[in-house]
Amino acid sequence: MEIDSQDGKLRVLYGDRLMTLLNEIRQLSSLGYDVPSKIVKWIEVGKKFHQYGVELQAVAHFYNTIDSEMIPSQQPMMLDLAKNFERLVRDPKLSKSGSGDSSVRLTWENPEQLSRYLTTLRAAAEKLKTENLKLRRYHSTIQQIVCSLMNTDLLRERQKWEEQTKEIRKIMDDLVNEGYAPENMKSWRAFWDRQLYKALDLQYFIGLKALNENLPEIKLDLILGDSSPQYKLSESRDTESNMGEIKRTFYREMKRFLTFPLSYKGCRDSSSASKKKLVYETIVLRHTEDITACYQASHELFRRLERGLEQFQEWTVLGQVDIEELVEKYLLDVSDWEKNFRILKIRGQEVDKLPNEMRYDCFLVNTTPLKLTIENQIRRLNDSMLTHLKRSITRDAGSI
């Protein structure tokens, strides 16, 4: 066999005329013709090598078509195996282990050498085929991962993004550990970096369009602070409102999303990522207008939060006055008692109708703390009215 210097195809130096001769002799013999002994002698030689020729042609066909079976970005990874195969083709004596004779050549008179050479060549071809199938399987696995990331919410499932990307890097790192040269894997890594770029750019764009709504949920408690309704973080141990801390928590989550492409490494190995600027950083630059819109929307969100306090403002009036003094001053005759006890009962029922939760995009407000405070104030007013009523009755009875 030889490799054509012009088109790189592998040619088997096995004449088709020999195949024709074998077929013709077989037909003539079946018709009863006597074949000259000289021809029979060469026919025997031809038969001996016929199977080898057929197998060599099969190997050559495999080699000539394997490139169409390879994924273009993986071809450099197959380079070492392809070179090893070519060395066997160019120098058949390499298949004869332990031979120091540089003049070894394969000829029609040496079927043992040809058999040994064919076995080595078949093994090299099989290795080439097996490795290509393995690489294609890995490529398909990564393809499934990237396709799933196309539909994975970057805001709500950021952990899945990181885990799936680590899985891609692990597949590639395992191949390096198996002996694949990192240099030969650059094109394959670059190919998947481009596909991950598309997935990340898509999910980043989708996330920006509804960033405030889809940020991780931030839980707030509605409390009574400084004689007015206010918010505080549910997880905070502080008993007072801290709007500054709420904003810091919100913008910290917002920043984590907005800067994700800046720290995303894709499928690049750590060595190449440190030396070369990654493509993912450009995603942030592509969406500067959307990012600006997100900050404007966040300002509107906090204004909505502030406006949400107004509906509870009237319920906190009792916390701003001296209840004992109020009762002493305004409850004077029977109609005052009747009117205020009736109103107090109605207001108590209205407190129960207040919502237990309110949602403002990513903020979930728990109103129960404020409702309990309001109920306590109503109870204090009721108790104070009853106490004052008893004193009034006792005082009036004494006067009578």
Side-chain angles (χ1 to χ4, degrees):
M1 295 193 296
E2 65 180 12
I3 297 178
D4 194 310
S5 59
Q6 294 183 352
D7 59 10
K9 297 294 184 181
L10 185 60
R11 306 271 190 263
V12 179
L13 304 180
Y14 179 84
D16 292 335
R17 293 177 62 194
L18 178 58
M19 295 288 297
T20 304
L21 177 62
L22 290 173
N23 290 332
E24 289 179 351
I25 295 303
R26 189 182 302 111
Q27 292 172 359
L28 290 172
S29 298
S30 65
L31 293 174
Y33 288 95
D34 290 331
V35 181
S37 59
K38 183 179 180 180
I39 296 179
V40 171
K41 175 185 174 182
W42 287 109
I43 287 300
E44 294 301 320
V45 174
K47 286 181 179 179
K48 191 184 301 182
F49 288 91
H50 172 256
Q51 184 60 34
Y52 296 134
V54 172
E55 292 189 31
L56 285 174
Q57 286 178 333
V59 172
H61 176 73
F62 163 77
Y63 180 80
N64 292 336
T65 58
I66 185 64
D67 60 333
S68 64
E69 299 293 326
M70 292 181 187
I71 295 169
S73 61
Q74 289 184 333
Q75 286 182 358
M77 300 171 64
M78 301 291 292
L79 190 60
D80 292 339
L81 289 173
K83 285 181 176 179
N84 179 58
F85 187 89
E86 287 184 9
R87 280 196 299 269
L88 288 174
V89 172
R90 295 180 185 277
D91 197 354
K93 67 178 181 292
L94 292 175
S95 65
K96 187 176 181 180
S97 59
S99 173
D101 183 3
S102 60
S103 63
V104 173
R105 292 292 182 271
L106 299 181
T107 66
W108 293 106
E109 288 81 13
N110 203 331
E112 290 80 10
Q113 274 193 356
L114 182 57
S115 175
R116 187 163 53 249
Y117 171 65
L118 188 57
T119 300
T120 305
L121 201 61
R122 270 201 305 262
E126 188 62 30
K127 177 70 173 175
L128 202 60
K129 179 181 179 181
T130 301
E131 289 300 305
N132 183 53
L133 290 175
K134 181 176 73 174
L135 292 180
R136 288 180 68 91
R137 283 197 301 272
Y138 284 137
H139 190 85
S140 178
T141 300
I142 296 176
Q143 182 182 26
Q144 294 173 11
I145 294 174
V146 175
C147 286
S148 71
L149 290 178
M150 282 279 187
N151 299 305
T152 300
D153 192 324
L154 185 59
L155 263 173
R156 298 177 177 176
E157 300 180 85
R158 190 179 310 158
Q159 185 65 30
K160 183 178 179 181
W161 261 86
E162 295 172 350
E163 291 174 354
Q164 295 284 55
T165 306
K166 285 181 181 178
E167 181 64 24
I168 293 175
R169 286 201 294 269
K170 183 179 183 301
I171 291 174
M172 295 182 173
D173 291 341
D174 287 346
L175 288 174
V176 173
N177 295 333
E178 289 180 20
Y180 284 91
E183 289 293 318
N184 294 343
M185 295 180 64
K186 282 185 176 180
S187 64
W188 193 41
R189 288 183 187 272
F191 172 83
W192 282 118
D193 267 327
R194 290 192 291 272
Q195 312 317 310
L196 285 170
Y197 181 98
K198 298 172 188 176
L200 182 59
D201 184 66
L202 172 64
Q203 285 300 324
Y204 193 72
F205 173 74
I206 294 174
L208 288 174
K209 289 303 180 182
L211 183 60
N212 290 344
E213 295 91 331
N214 295 329
L215 278 175
E217 187 176 81
I218 300 175
K219 294 183 178 180
L220 302 179
D221 287 337
L222 187 61
I223 62 171
L224 180 63
D226 297 332
S227 302
S228 62
Q230 295 178 356
Y231 300 112
K232 84 174 191 68
L233 289 170
S234 298
E235 59 187 24
S236 174
R237 296 183 178 180
D238 295 336
T239 57
E240 298 180 358
S241 170
N242 191 338
M243 199 62 184
E245 183 62 28
I246 293 174
K247 288 185 176 181
R248 280 193 294 272
T249 301
F250 174 82
Y251 285 114
R252 184 166 56 246
E253 290 295 335
M254 189 173 177
K255 181 182 177 182
R256 283 186 64 200
F257 175 79
L258 294 179
T259 59
F260 184 77
L262 302 180
S263 58
Y264 186 67
K265 295 182 180 180
C267 60
R268 297 291 183 89
D269 57 359
S270 56
S271 59
S272 64
S274 61
K275 297 176 183 177
K276 190 175 181 180
K277 186 177 180 181
L278 295 175
V279 296
Y280 303 102
E281 297 177 3
T282 61
I283 292 177
V284 177
L285 300 177
R286 281 170 44 84
H287 298 282
T288 51
E289 292 183 2
D290 295 323
I291 293 174
T292 302
C294 286
Y295 277 101
Q296 293 172 344
S298 69
H299 296 325
E300 176 59 30
L301 171 59
F302 281 105
R303 282 194 289 269
R304 286 167 53 203
L305 269 177
E306 293 293 342
R307 289 195 296 269
L309 296 174
E310 295 175 359
Q311 61 179 304
F312 296 96
Q313 191 67 47
E314 62 173 306
W315 292 97
T316 62
V317 172
L318 290 177
Q320 304 171 25
V321 298
D322 186 332
I323 292 179
E324 299 294 335
E325 181 182 344
L326 199 69
V327 172
E328 289 281 352
K329 184 176 180 180
Y330 291 102
L331 298 184
L332 302 175
D333 55 34
V334 175
S335 62
D336 295 333
W337 297 105
E338 290 177 344
K339 177 181 178 181
N340 279 281
F341 272 120
R342 184 170 62 253
I343 292 176
L344 203 60
K345 182 178 180 180
I346 293 172
R347 297 296 278 177
Q349 293 172 347
E350 291 176 350
V351 172
D352 293 334
K353 296 178 182 179
L354 290 174
N356 292 325
E357 289 183 344
M358 296 187 301
R359 179 170 290 280
Y360 299 91
D361 293 346
C362 65
F363 288 109
L364 181 63
V365 180
N366 175 25
T367 63
T368 301
L370 182 63
K371 288 177 65 175
L372 290 175
T373 301
I374 295 171
E375 289 173 354
N376 287 335
Q377 292 176 347
I378 291 176
R379 191 177 301 112
R380 280 181 53 210
L381 177 57
N382 185 74
D383 293 343
S384 180
M385 288 170 59
L386 287 174
T387 301
H388 183 58
L389 179 59
K390 290 177 182 178
R391 285 203 302 265
S392 298
I393 292 173
T394 301
R395 185 173 58 248
D396 290 347
S399 297
I400 293 171

